[in-house]
Amino acid sequence: MAHTFRGCSLAFMFIITWLLIKAKIDACKRGDVTVKPSHVILLGSTVNITCSLKPRQGCFHYSRRNKLILYKFDRRINFHHGHSLNSQVTGLPLGTTLFVCKLACINSDEIQICGAEIFVGVAPEQPQNLSCIQKGEQGTVACTWERGRDTHLYTEYTLQLSGPKNLTWQKQCKDIYCDYLDFGINLTPESPESNFTAKVTAVNSLGSSSSLPSTFTFLDIVRPLPPWDIRIKFQKASVSRCTLYWRDEGLVLLNRLRYRPSNSRLWNMVNVTKAKGRHDLLDLKPFTEYEFQISSKLHLYKGSWSDWNESLRAQTPEEEPTGMLDVWYMKRHIDYSRQQISLFCKNLSVSEARGKILHYQVTLQELTGGKAMTQNITGHTSWTTVIPRTGNWAVAVSAANSKGSSLPTRINIMNLCEAGLLAPRQVSANSEGMDNILVTWQPPRKDPSAVQEYVVEWRELHPGGDTQVPLNWLRSRPYNVSALISENIKSYICYEIRVYALSGDQGGCSSILGNSKHKAPLSGPHINAITEEKGSILISWNSIPVQEQMGCLLHYRIYWKERDSNSQPQLCEIPYRVSQNSHPINSLQPRVTYVLWMTALTAAGESSHGNEREFCLQGKANWMAFVAPSICIAIIMVGIFSTHYFQQKRRHSCPWTGS
């Protein structure tokens, strides 16, 4: 490719030279431009430029009418009346500068007489860091060097190689940017200790310079080709019996191997001598994809390493799982004789699973009688069954891959919240940055030293109590009184959080609602029914969709006012409870039409109001306004009704009966 480029460059320069000669013949009919001392000068030198007219080429043959003008590119730098013009020029920049001489006659356009190019440059610096290499035993010798600063002139480089028996090879390049040449010859290993000497010389119009000689042997410059045909074998599908195979050039003596898991940046390095294309690896991890590379060298102390081969990627075989599953459970009473047990387990880490987990084995046993036992195989990390409420039950869960099973995790099924004195105190949940919740608590009143561990459990809050909502948990040491939960935490979602204190076969728990980020709900509750019950009304509503709650709800507000009234509405604020969807109001006047609506509040603010419903109470007035445990605000009018009041009442009296 380099030879082709240099050939094109020389052809291009020949064409340019021919065009310049032709242009000079055409453009210099009227006169000449001469440059002294030379068209090629050293940076900082001064040149004299002379422009002269040929006989009878002036203006009307009168020399005083001839005005010769000298241009540097397109900028006028000097002029003179007569047949010739002399100008001394200094401070020319590196590179090529074009000067053009023109003749100006009265009432006529300027006429070009002739021009000249001046080339400003420097002598070549001594080439540095000359080095030669032969790629592979069958490759050719090629050398590179550093040219030094740009000469800005046509520069020729000559590379010479001298060997034993007065053998000499020489290559040239006439490219100003030349810093590489290939001799096209192959050194053979017949005399591996024979000396060769290379030298490069740079020459241009302003001088020449040669590099220091570089002396080397065959072993010094031959760089082996990268190993090829890389493959790996696992004897009896075992990661502990792994052999890496490859092929090398015949003279290779030393190899270096590097390997790493595909998801790691750190390499494991191994140097081996006289490996003959194979090496055993003993420290690979099971069920892990590895990347392998090999490099080669001809001599322990001389020469250079080959390039690394293209990476080989391979996955090691599986091994039996290690470690034990983290198992948690939930209990739910179905009726007086049955209870539902839901088991959950976390996935083993990759290093513990040591393969693809195919299934989980669950064994459920009644400990008192020792006879009732249930075994189940499931492909999921959760499992639900129904068992009697009587007896003491234990469960064992293990994970299995193609090579075997992990040790079983055994837990006794107990009532996790039965021991009230073990319940953690002052539980709080606060946002801790994006998608994190910090849960804190105080040890239980019972001897804190009895606590063996805390378990913090959380799941998305669903008003319907959906048991299919994923459960999350983490374990905390008994001396910790806080935990940062971040797994499966999303912004604007409310979570039901429980903290369990476990001690032997007893447990106590406390719960709280929490969110990592909140804002005012997007909508208010939808009132679906209003019914009259003994002089009061019962308002029923549909829960706000979870995606519109925007965090944990704190309160509901029920608003009401007389229809067509401009007065401020009365309201009743109800603490939020997950399962609550109705509430009584007993401060309405009979036979008056009211408009009612509801809103919801988070810690960030109040929602817009939900749908409006009208209602007219048919029964007798009830002047007591007490609803426990809510705080209701109502304005009760007591006194003698005036005629105006009765007129207003008649105007708002119910036009219908019933709800």
Side-chain angles (χ1 to χ4, degrees):
M1 181 68 183
H3 290 295
T4 304
F5 178 76
R6 286 195 289 273
C8 293
S9 297
L10 291 174
F12 179 72
M13 291 176 65
F14 174 79
I15 294 171
I16 293 298
T17 303
W18 180 83
L19 291 174
L20 289 174
I21 294 173
K22 186 175 185 303
K24 180 176 177 63
I25 294 173
D26 293 340
C28 297
K29 290 180 179 180
R30 292 177 174 272
D32 294 299
V33 172
T34 58
V35 178
K36 292 183 179 181
S38 172
H39 282 266
V40 180
I41 63 171
L42 184 66
L43 177 66
S45 300
T46 300
V47 291
N48 291 307
I49 302 174
T50 301
C51 174
S52 57
L53 291 171
K54 292 180 180 180
R56 300 184 181 184
Q57 295 299 321
C59 302
F60 309 108
H61 311 294
Y62 296 106
S63 62
R64 61 185 178 82
R65 294 180 180 270
N66 297 331
K67 182 180 179 180
L68 294 175
I69 306 171
L70 184 63
Y71 286 88
K72 179 182 176 182
F73 292 116
D74 57 353
R75 183 172 64 87
R76 181 184 296 191
I77 63 170
N78 201 357
F79 68 91
H80 182 73
H81 291 280
H83 281 88
S84 65
L85 176 150
N86 293 311
S87 184
Q88 190 178 72
V89 179
T90 61
L92 292 178
L94 288 168
T96 303
T97 303
L98 175 64
F99 292 90
V100 177
C101 182
K102 294 184 179 182
L103 173 64
C105 298
I106 299 174
N107 299 325
S108 177
D109 294 336
E110 293 180 356
I111 302 170
Q112 183 167 307
I113 302 302
C114 195
E117 286 181 322
I118 298 178
F119 304 94
V120 181
V122 294
E125 292 184 334
Q126 182 184 44
Q128 301 289 329
N129 299 325
L130 174 63
S131 64
C132 300
I133 190 172
Q134 176 176 306
K135 291 186 178 182
E137 297 174 15
Q138 305 301 319
T140 57
V141 179
C143 301
T144 60
W145 60 92
E146 295 177 5
R147 299 186 313 272
R149 65 176 177 174
D150 195 352
T151 65
H152 295 273
L153 299 175
Y154 173 82
T155 303
E156 183 176 276
Y157 291 86
T158 301
L159 181 65
Q160 182 176 309
L161 179 65
S162 302
K165 301 178 183 180
N166 295 323
L167 291 174
T168 301
W169 298 269
Q170 187 170 289
K171 277 277 187 169
Q172 288 183 331
C173 67
K174 299 178 180 180
D175 182 355
I176 188 174
Y177 300 112
C178 181
D179 58 7
Y180 170 87
L181 275 173
D182 191 329
F183 282 110
I185 62 168
N186 169 257
L187 301 187
T188 62
E190 297 171 357
S191 301
E193 301 296 333
S194 297
N195 287 328
F196 296 84
T197 301
K199 184 175 70 173
V200 62
T201 301
V203 179
N204 66 16
S205 301
L206 299 179
S208 65
S209 185
S210 296
S211 70
L212 295 174
S214 174
T215 302
F216 49 82
T217 66
F218 170 84
L219 292 175
D220 290 326
I221 72 162
V222 174
R223 175 184 291 176
L225 295 176
W228 66 94
D229 194 19
I230 315 297
R231 59 199 185 281
I232 191 168
K233 289 186 178 179
F234 299 96
Q235 302 296 329
K236 296 184 179 180
S238 173
V239 71
S240 62
R241 305 181 65 181
C242 166
T243 304
L244 193 64
Y245 296 91
W246 67 92
R247 294 179 62 189
D248 254 327
E249 292 189 290
L251 297 177
V252 167
L253 179 65
L254 184 65
N255 291 104
R256 58 181 179 179
L257 288 67
R258 66 181 187 181
Y259 56 96
R260 64 182 177 185
S262 296
N263 60 357
S264 173
R265 294 184 177 181
L266 300 178
W267 291 96
N268 300 297
M269 298 288 295
V270 178
N271 288 330
V272 292
T273 306
K274 297 180 180 179
K276 306 270 182 212
R278 62 166 290 166
H279 181 72
D280 295 329
L281 297 173
L282 305 176
D283 60 345
L284 301 184
K285 298 177 182 178
F287 197 61
T288 303
E289 185 183 61
Y290 278 89
E291 179 182 2
F292 302 90
Q293 286 188 320
I294 309 174
S295 179
S296 304
K297 199 165 176 249
L298 298 185
H299 194 273
L300 290 175
Y301 312 110
K302 295 184 177 182
S304 58
W305 288 99
S306 74
D307 294 330
W308 294 102
N309 70 290
E310 187 175 347
S311 292
L312 168 70
R313 293 179 181 269
Q315 182 165 284
T316 55
E318 294 187 0
E319 294 289 340
E320 188 177 64
T322 61
M324 298 173 66
L325 291 166
D326 184 357
V327 179
W328 191 237
Y329 65 96
M330 292 177 60
K331 287 176 59 176
R332 186 172 68 87
H333 295 317
I334 298 176
D335 52 35
Y336 69 95
S337 63
R338 296 179 304 158
Q339 60 182 340
Q340 176 181 285
I341 304 296
S342 296
L343 293 174
F344 306 89
C345 60
K346 293 186 178 180
N347 292 320
L348 293 173
S349 66
V350 173
S351 60
E352 292 174 327
R354 306 211 300 175
K356 181 180 179 181
I357 298 301
L358 301 176
H359 60 261
Y360 298 89
Q361 181 169 319
V362 182
T363 302
L364 190 64
Q365 183 176 11
E366 202 283 310
L367 299 177
T368 305
K371 296 181 179 180
M373 179 179 293
T374 302
Q375 289 191 337
N376 187 276
I377 301 296
T378 177
H380 305 287
T381 55
S382 61
W383 181 69
T384 299
T385 189
V386 176
I387 59 175
R389 291 181 61 178
T390 58
N392 296 322
W393 294 86
V395 66
V397 186
S398 59
N401 63 16
S402 64
K403 292 296 185 71
S405 300
S406 66
L407 293 174
T409 298
R410 304 180 187 276
I411 56 175
N412 293 327
I413 303 298
M414 61 179 178
N415 190 338
L416 293 169
C417 297
E418 186 175 25
L421 293 178
L422 273 177
R425 298 177 297 116
Q426 300 177 25
V427 177
S428 66
N430 298 294
S431 174
E432 189 77 9
M434 182 65 72
D435 298 339
N436 293 290
I437 301 175
L438 179 63
V439 182
T440 61
W441 61 90
Q442 291 298 316
R445 289 188 177 88
K446 187 177 180 180
D447 183 7
S449 62
V451 177
Q452 295 173 336
E453 72 170 336
Y454 292 105
V455 175
V456 181
E457 169 194 292
W458 67 97
R459 63 192 302 178
E460 290 186 23
L461 179 65
H462 280 256
D466 187 359
T467 58
Q468 301 301 316
V469 176
L471 183 71
N472 308 274
W473 72 94
L474 60 81
R475 299 179 184 273
S476 182
R477 297 183 183 277
Y479 50 78
N480 288 336
V481 290
S482 67
L484 184 68
I485 59 177
S486 57
E487 183 182 359
N488 297 325
I489 296 294
K490 296 178 284 188
S491 298
Y492 308 116
I493 295 294
C494 186
Y495 292 88
E496 183 179 11
I497 302 169
R498 290 179 181 267
V499 181
Y500 298 90
L502 304 181
S503 176
D505 58 353
Q506 290 185 315
C509 73
S510 297
S511 64
I512 195 172
L513 300 181
N515 48 239
S516 67
K517 199 172 182 181
H518 54 248
K519 58 184 179 182
L522 300 181
S523 64
H526 181 87
I527 299 175
N528 58 41
I530 302 176
T531 57
E532 182 176 347
E533 295 182 357
K534 298 181 179 179
S536 64
I537 64 170
L538 181 68
I539 301 175
S540 301
W541 60 85
N542 297 331
S543 298
I544 302 173
V546 173
Q547 64 273 16
E548 296 182 9
Q549 292 181 13
M550 309 312 290
C552 293
L553 299 181
L554 302 180
H555 300 94
Y556 287 129
R557 282 180 181 172
I558 302 174
Y559 290 87
W560 68 91
K561 69 174 184 175
E562 295 182 17
R563 187 178 63 187
D564 301 328
S565 172
N566 293 324
S567 62
Q568 290 295 320
Q570 301 175 66
L571 68 89
C572 178
E573 191 168 271
I574 311 165
Y576 174 77
R577 291 184 179 84
V578 175
S579 60
Q580 184 174 6
N581 60 1
S582 64
H583 189 79
I585 297 292
N586 58 1
S587 58
L588 302 185
Q589 299 300 316
R591 305 193 62 80
V592 176
T593 300
Y594 290 92
V595 178
L596 300 94
W597 67 91
M598 292 183 66
T599 64
L601 292 87
T602 65
E606 186 176 11
S607 72
S608 59
H609 65 73
N611 66 315
E612 293 183 351
R613 291 287 294 264
E614 292 187 356
F615 189 80
C616 182
L617 187 65
Q618 299 300 311
K620 296 180 180 180
N622 184 355
W623 300 106
M624 298 298 293
F626 174 76
V627 180
S630 62
I631 302 172
C632 293
I633 303 170
I635 300 174
I636 308 299
M637 302 288 293
V638 181
I640 301 173
F641 298 113
S642 65
T643 303
H644 176 72
Y645 174 81
F646 285 110
Q647 290 175 348
Q648 291 293 101
K649 185 176 179 181
R650 283 196 297 270
R651 190 195 318 172
H652 295 292
S653 61
C654 304
W656 71 90
T657 58
S659 60

